[in-house]
Amino acid sequence: MNRSNFINAIIALSLIGPGLGGNFFMFVEHVCAFIRGPEKKNINLIMMHLAFTNAMSLCVKGISDVIPVFHLSNFLDSVGCKTVIYLGRVARGLSICTTCLLSVVQAITISPRTTPWTKLKLRTAGQLLFCLLIFWTFNTLTSCNLLYYIASVKNMNRSEVSQHIGYCYLLPSTQIVRWLFLILMAVRDIVFQSLMGWSSAYMVDCLYTHHKRVLYLQNSRLIQKSKTRPEIRATQSILILTACFLFFYWTDFIFSFYLGFFSTFDPIILNIKIFLTLGYASLSPFVLISRNFHVDNCWPAH
């Protein structure tokens, strides 16, 4: 193992380990809040799904990128390679969709009842589960090309492969297939990130309006104790979460474009890229936990 690969593995492990623990804690927390809460809240289901997709993404990155660095025996056959790489792509897409859904749902939640957006509110858990089913269906279809073009190194000659992914290889595909799935993923990212941007801007406007109202009223203590305070705190938490996602996504995109365009192999940039790839899935639960997001609904007070 050379020094560069060792540093890459240490960075990845330092993010994957705490990230899995944080997502597990967040998942259990929102399961508890959903079961014990006075009413079944859709936001708890969304957070559970986000924690699950983040954990799935971290597990896949650990298998595909970290284990090969330590030169362990190749335990992945073609089926294993297809499964690991495919689930990683699906988890990335689900993370985008779920973060967008969380942002949009919270924007609709805090919007005044007179606005037309309230008609889009998911009122039952069944409606939310239907949306999540659509996300799973769409992302599994947009990544299904990997099930054909991924193979294990055990079954391939190095002269036949084009791109190395840990224990697995990405076989060359036709231009039509390549551009078709690239366009589908690009459309998905553009649509969902545009919705994230709109909902975030809308929530910022709502918070600013609320802040002006608080300054206008003489008795601010009444506002501090009002029922809107938990909603505002949750909105601020989701805004921070969305900002983290957009930062990691676009910074990773810029570094990936730089590496691809200049065809360079800079160990420092590769280390930064590993941090950016794993950063959102690892740090997002701690962003919410540090802000005490919905913890009061789960753990009894002492």
Side-chain angles (χ1 to χ4, degrees):
M1 181 192 309
N2 59 43
R3 181 181 179 183
S4 177
N5 289 339
F6 179 76
I7 294 175
N8 292 346
I10 294 300
I11 293 174
L13 288 174
S14 65
L15 291 170
I16 291 173
L20 287 174
N23 281 291
F24 175 78
F25 179 84
M26 187 172 72
F27 182 85
V28 173
E29 175 186 325
H30 285 278
V31 168
C32 185
F34 182 79
I35 295 174
R36 296 182 58 179
E39 58 181 9
K40 309 306 180 186
K41 295 182 179 180
N42 285 336
I43 197 119
N44 294 123
L45 288 174
I46 298 175
M47 297 302 297
M48 289 156 56
H49 188 260
L50 180 62
F52 175 77
T53 56
N54 285 341
M56 184 169 70
S57 179
L58 291 172
C59 289
V60 167
K61 293 298 291 184
I63 295 174
S64 63
D65 294 349
V66 177
I67 292 179
V69 172
F70 293 98
H71 300 291
L72 300 178
S73 60
N74 186 356
F75 60 92
L76 291 178
D77 55 9
S78 290
V79 175
C81 277
K82 293 177 189 294
T83 302
V84 168
I85 304 301
Y86 177 72
L87 289 179
R89 180 75 65 80
V90 171
R92 179 184 178 277
L94 288 173
S95 180
I96 296 174
C97 297
T98 308
T99 305
C100 174
L101 179 64
L102 179 65
S103 181
V104 172
V105 166
Q106 186 63 24
I108 294 174
T109 300
I110 67 172
S111 62
R113 295 182 180 180
T114 55
T115 58
W117 310 119
T118 55
K119 298 179 181 179
L120 301 175
K121 186 175 181 179
L122 300 174
R123 304 187 183 279
T124 65
Q127 293 175 337
L128 174 61
L129 292 175
F130 179 72
C131 287
L132 296 178
L133 178 61
I134 292 176
F135 291 163
W136 274 90
T137 303
F138 177 75
N139 284 286
T140 53
L141 290 177
T142 55
S143 303
C144 64
N145 63 313
L146 295 177
L147 296 176
Y148 181 80
Y149 292 104
I150 293 292
S152 173
V153 65
K154 290 180 178 180
N155 304 326
M156 301 300 300
N157 295 322
R158 292 184 179 271
S159 60
E160 298 176 338
V161 300
S162 61
Q163 186 176 346
H164 177 262
I165 311 175
Y167 290 135
C168 312
Y169 283 100
L170 179 63
L171 300 174
S173 59
T174 62
Q175 290 290 337
I176 295 177
V177 171
R178 185 181 307 164
W179 281 105
L180 173 63
F181 286 94
L182 282 176
I183 290 173
L184 286 174
M185 288 188 293
V187 169
R188 177 199 63 195
D189 291 1
I190 292 172
V191 169
F192 283 97
Q193 292 193 56
S194 297
L195 288 173
M196 276 189 221
W198 166 83
S199 57
S200 298
Y202 183 80
M203 286 189 285
V204 169
D205 180 68
C206 289
L207 291 177
Y208 178 70
T209 303
H210 176 81
H211 180 67
K212 290 196 301 182
R213 193 176 301 140
V214 170
L215 293 178
Y216 178 77
L217 295 175
Q218 295 293 330
N219 190 0
S220 61
R221 292 184 180 178
L222 183 61
I223 299 299
Q224 295 288 340
K225 296 180 181 179
S226 67
K227 293 183 179 180
T228 58
R229 184 171 174 82
E231 272 188 5
I232 291 175
R233 186 170 180 81
T235 303
Q236 292 171 342
S237 300
I238 293 173
L239 281 172
I240 295 173
L241 184 71
T242 305
C244 288
F245 175 85
L246 294 175
F247 167 77
F248 282 110
Y249 178 91
W250 285 106
T251 310
D252 180 50
F253 175 82
I254 292 171
F255 278 98
S256 298
F257 180 81
Y258 174 82
L259 291 173
F261 185 80
F262 292 101
S263 299
T264 183
F265 183 82
D266 189 335
I268 296 178
I269 294 181
L270 291 175
N271 292 337
I272 295 174
K273 194 174 181 309
I274 290 175
F275 172 77
L276 295 173
T277 303
L278 299 172
Y280 176 73
S282 300
L283 301 179
S284 58
F286 297 102
V287 171
L288 298 174
I289 293 171
S290 65
R291 294 187 57 82
N292 201 30
F293 188 82
H294 282 241
V295 171
D296 294 337
N297 292 333
C298 184
W299 307 112
H302 295 283

